[in-house]
Amino acid sequence: MAEIRLLDSNTIDKIAAGEVVERPSSVVKELVENAMDAGADAITVEIRDGGCSFIRVTDNGDGIEKDQIRKAFFRHATSKISTAEDLYHIHSLGFRGEALSSIAAVSMVELITKTKDSLTGIHYRLDGGVEKEFSEIGAPEGTTMIARELFFNTPVRKKFLKTPATEGSYVSDLMEHMALSRPDVAFQFMVNGNVRFHTSGNGDLKEIIYRIYGREIAGQLLPFHAQMEGVSIDGFLGSPSVVRSNRNFEFFFVNGRYIRSPLLSKGLEAGYKAWLMQHKFPFALLHLTSDPENIDVNVHPSKMEVRFSDQPGLYAFLEEQVREAMHRREMIPDVKLDEPAAGRKKEQPAPKEQKVKEEQTKRETQKETVVPPMPPVAPRKPVPAADEGRKAGPEKEVSPNPE
């Protein structure tokens, strides 16, 4: 029988990191959620090499007190909850207390933080979960987290990462979701020193859609609002002309948290059923606000899935409201004609058939008026005389005096 052993803390941390930190986008997600929970209204995210070699998240939130910094990197250490009952009243994005310890276990981490009441900031550095530096430093109010060389001490995990371009695209998608989840927060996303996009943080959700997805999609959106007992839904529904071949443009947010929900997707698509072809999916962005008691967010370590207390009721409600909203929408496009200048009639262009007929008549007229040149006349042959051709005989002498 194999011997049962107790694992050391280093091995435990690396195992736990595998549940939370799957790729660079996982690190960015946890750090940005911590920044929003700290009350930040301006967040900057910078990555290099797809986030494999460098990730930096800077915010203007509350910061971390000096005596709390080391404790923040312990496993299951959090300021969001204190008892098991608090799991039913979660208002924050993070609550498990695993993010910082998991990130520090598989990367080289630097933390620079300063609270409002502190004169100086703190610089804290760890390599693979081992403390290397703890010192005071001049810093602005807020927190900056830097993660370098992800999976440097777990080469097996590192070799399963994709190319920097692919990993960078995952981070880019995540940042778009974060910006859409909180229109009141100003986001800036930088890739290899270049600004990929930024938002103003003025709370206008449609402006963010315009900045990320462009004018064509932003101009084909229908404002949506629905409310039932305990749940309020706000957002935008796309026109049936804005369809995709996958569900990548179906966005759902519950209490400010981006989630993936087969239940909400199927309810949305059932409401669109009469307007979409088979295997086509709509563009929709919906924010659900609900009492935390009616939602279970402690389903998966990544917190990307939730359970609702009344799932069949929510499905039926969403399907009905989406179908009614699409029925009320006028599908005929609104075409605006330019007004002619004041006091002057605007010349109307001739129809296509009239133009063709005028050109044909013009060509026929030209053919009739142009006289073709006369062909050259051959020279006429002289007409032969009446007695020409007869044989001339000898002339007879006529006597003047015949006998």
Side-chain angles (χ1 to χ4, degrees):
M1 182 177 178
E3 181 183 355
I4 297 176
R5 302 180 182 86
L6 294 176
L7 300 177
D8 59 88
S9 59
N10 186 36
T11 305
I12 293 174
D13 288 341
K14 290 182 180 179
I15 293 174
E19 299 177 355
V20 179
V21 182
E22 299 177 0
R23 50 178 17 104
S25 60
S26 305
V27 177
V28 175
K29 176 180 180 295
E30 298 294 343
L31 297 181
V32 172
E33 287 182 348
N34 283 347
M36 290 191 286
D37 286 340
D41 58 11
I43 301 174
T44 299
V45 177
E46 181 181 356
I47 64 171
R48 297 174 190 166
D49 299 325
C52 300
S53 63
F54 182 86
I55 297 172
R56 177 163 55 196
V57 178
T58 304
D59 67 70
N60 62 348
D62 297 333
I64 307 174
E65 295 287 349
K66 180 178 179 179
D67 59 346
Q68 300 289 313
I69 292 176
R70 287 189 174 94
K71 191 185 296 184
F73 286 87
F74 293 161
R75 291 186 62 226
H76 302 298
T78 179
S79 61
K80 316 297 173 54
I81 62 174
S82 56
T83 64
E85 286 73 20
D86 294 338
L87 292 173
Y88 301 100
H89 308 279
I90 294 176
H91 296 275
S92 60
L93 297 176
F95 59 90
R96 298 174 64 92
E98 297 178 319
L100 293 183
S101 63
S102 298
I103 295 170
V106 292
S107 64
M108 301 177 183
V109 171
E110 287 186 51
L111 167 67
I112 301 173
T113 184
K114 178 183 178 298
T115 60
K116 182 179 180 180
D117 300 329
S118 301
L119 295 177
T120 60
I122 299 297
H123 179 216
Y124 187 47
R125 185 167 65 88
L126 304 95
D127 291 350
V130 179
E131 181 178 325
K132 296 295 183 180
E133 182 180 352
F134 189 98
S135 59
E136 293 186 350
I137 190 174
E141 182 180 344
T143 302
T144 297
M145 283 288 302
I146 302 174
R148 291 187 173 91
E149 303 300 331
L150 187 63
F151 301 132
F152 78 100
N153 55 353
T154 52
V156 176
R157 295 285 304 279
K158 188 172 185 177
K159 75 175 184 179
F160 283 100
L161 292 177
K162 299 185 183 300
T163 63
T166 302
E167 295 295 343
S169 68
Y170 294 148
V171 179
S172 180
D173 291 343
L174 170 72
M175 288 306 302
E176 292 173 0
H177 299 159
M178 290 294 183
L180 293 169
S181 71
R182 292 288 301 272
D184 58 323
V185 176
F187 286 92
Q188 184 178 39
F189 178 49
M190 303 177 65
V191 179
N192 297 327
N194 301 317
V195 177
R196 181 65 61 88
F197 75 84
H198 64 88
T199 63
S200 61
N202 61 1
D204 188 352
L205 180 58
K206 193 169 185 178
E207 178 190 344
I208 299 176
I209 297 174
Y210 176 85
R211 287 177 177 269
I212 296 176
Y213 299 107
R215 179 184 302 176
E216 181 180 356
I217 289 181
Q220 298 288 330
L221 298 180
L222 170 69
F224 179 80
H225 173 75
Q227 190 166 358
M228 64 180 290
E229 184 178 358
V231 178
S232 175
I233 306 177
D234 295 277
F236 293 95
L237 300 176
S239 165
S241 61
V242 185
V243 296
R244 294 294 183 268
S245 57
N246 53 48
R247 293 186 174 91
N248 290 344
F249 285 79
E250 295 178 4
F251 305 102
F252 302 103
F253 304 89
V254 176
N255 294 344
R257 184 194 308 276
Y258 172 71
I259 65 166
R260 300 190 190 99
S261 174
L263 173 76
L264 298 178
S265 291
K266 291 185 181 299
L268 173 72
E269 293 159 14
Y272 265 97
K273 187 175 181 180
W275 289 270
L276 295 181
M277 296 179 64
Q278 193 174 10
H279 305 304
K280 294 296 180 180
F281 304 93
F283 180 99
L285 195 151
L286 302 178
H287 280 260
L288 283 75
T289 304
S290 176
D291 189 336
E293 294 184 0
N294 299 328
I295 301 172
D296 182 12
V297 297
N298 191 26
V299 178
H300 191 273
S302 65
K303 303 184 292 291
M304 292 290 291
E305 302 175 12
V306 299
R307 290 196 185 102
F308 300 94
S309 59
D310 183 15
Q311 299 203 135
L314 181 59
Y315 174 92
F317 173 73
L318 181 59
E319 176 187 0
E320 179 185 2
Q321 294 300 314
V322 170
R323 183 167 52 247
E324 291 183 2
M326 299 307 294
H327 270 298
R328 292 193 299 266
R329 173 168 183 155
E330 178 60 62
M331 294 300 175
I332 300 175
D334 184 16
V335 180
K336 295 183 180 180
L337 302 177
D338 296 334
E339 295 293 336
R344 184 177 60 185
K345 291 185 178 180
K346 188 174 181 180
E347 185 178 357
Q348 298 293 334
K352 185 177 180 180
E353 295 81 2
Q354 183 178 350
K355 288 184 178 181
V356 173
K357 189 174 182 180
E358 290 178 355
E359 292 180 359
Q360 185 177 0
T361 305
K362 186 177 180 180
R363 287 195 299 267
E364 291 177 355
T365 305
Q366 290 177 350
K367 289 181 180 179
E368 293 176 358
T369 55
V370 177
V371 180
M374 295 291 293
V377 180
R380 299 180 62 185
K381 295 181 180 180
V383 180
D387 57 350
E388 186 177 356
R390 295 180 183 175
K391 291 184 180 180
E395 292 185 358
K396 241 179 178 186
E397 292 184 4
V398 179
S399 133
N401 295 316
E403 289 181 359

